[in-house]
Amino acid sequence: MTPDELLRVIKTPTSLGRHLAPRRAEGETYNVDPWLELTERKVLDAVLDKDHQRFIRVHLPRQIGKTTYSGNYLPLWILGMMPDTRIIFISYSDDYSRTRGGEVKSLMKAFGLELFGVTVDPDKDADGEWKIKGRRGGMLSVGIGSQITGRSGD
């Protein structure tokens, strides 16, 4: 992959998703609908604004790709582009959150070095909490009501 091709692949979480989907499963595609294009602009604006803390709520029907974006490709992209970022992913249950964390971890192990030059620390690689090797960042995945007191997130 040329440097220009790499930059196009990792430009946004959705471009990353389009690149990785067929590599994850034969014939798989990652569709980017207008709602996601709009959401991504708002999300990336908030993520990249280090001067203000902002929250974005997305209310859409089930099974249209919210979690694939926010639970897989967005955290992978953030940790690849900014590997010192500490992500806390919270959902309705510990099991579901750990599943999301495990999927992002697997993606990072499979594609992190190739696309971002980073990988998962083998000494800290549980699905519910893993770190980027040699960096401060990583992903903590918990359910609502779980203890995150004293745990830092960016």
Side-chain angles (χ1 to χ4, degrees):
M1 185 179 317
T2 69
D4 285 344
E5 290 170 331
L6 177 61
L7 288 174
R8 276 193 297 279
V9 165
I10 65 171
K11 182 178 180 182
T12 65
T14 54
S15 63
L16 182 62
R18 284 183 173 132
H19 176 75
L20 293 181
R23 295 177 69 184
R24 293 177 69 193
E26 188 174 330
E28 186 174 332
T29 61
Y30 183 61
N31 297 319
V32 180
D33 295 319
W35 72 265
L36 183 52
E37 291 175 345
L38 174 63
T39 300
E40 181 167 73
R41 285 194 298 273
K42 300 287 186 185
V43 166
L44 293 184
D45 185 47
V47 166
L48 297 173
D49 181 358
K50 299 299 182 188
D51 295 326
H52 304 93
Q53 184 177 28
R54 292 189 276 167
F55 299 91
I56 296 173
R57 294 174 64 173
V58 178
H59 298 276
L60 292 162
R62 60 192 172 143
Q63 298 300 308
I64 64 167
K66 296 179 304 293
T67 301
T68 302
Y69 179 77
S70 64
N72 289 8
Y73 295 130
L74 179 61
L76 177 67
W77 183 84
I78 290 171
L79 290 169
M81 299 296 281
M82 299 170 278
D84 290 318
T85 302
R86 297 163 298 177
I87 294 174
I88 301 176
F89 183 86
I90 302 172
S91 75
Y92 65 87
S93 77
D94 284 329
D95 287 342
Y96 188 78
S97 290
R98 277 193 300 273
T99 299
R100 295 275 77 76
E103 288 181 12
V104 178
K105 179 185 75 170
S106 293
L107 288 168
M108 186 62 79
K109 283 183 171 183
F111 305 109
L113 278 175
E114 171 191 350
L115 298 175
F116 302 108
V118 297
T119 193
V120 175
D121 186 337
D123 295 328
K124 190 69 168 175
D125 75 342
D127 287 353
E129 184 175 7
W130 55 272
K131 301 267 186 199
I132 299 291
K133 184 175 182 178
R135 304 303 291 260
R136 183 176 74 112
M139 187 168 178
L140 172 65
S141 303
V142 297
I144 291 174
S146 297
Q147 296 297 318
I148 59 170
T149 305
R151 310 298 292 273
S152 297
D154 298 305

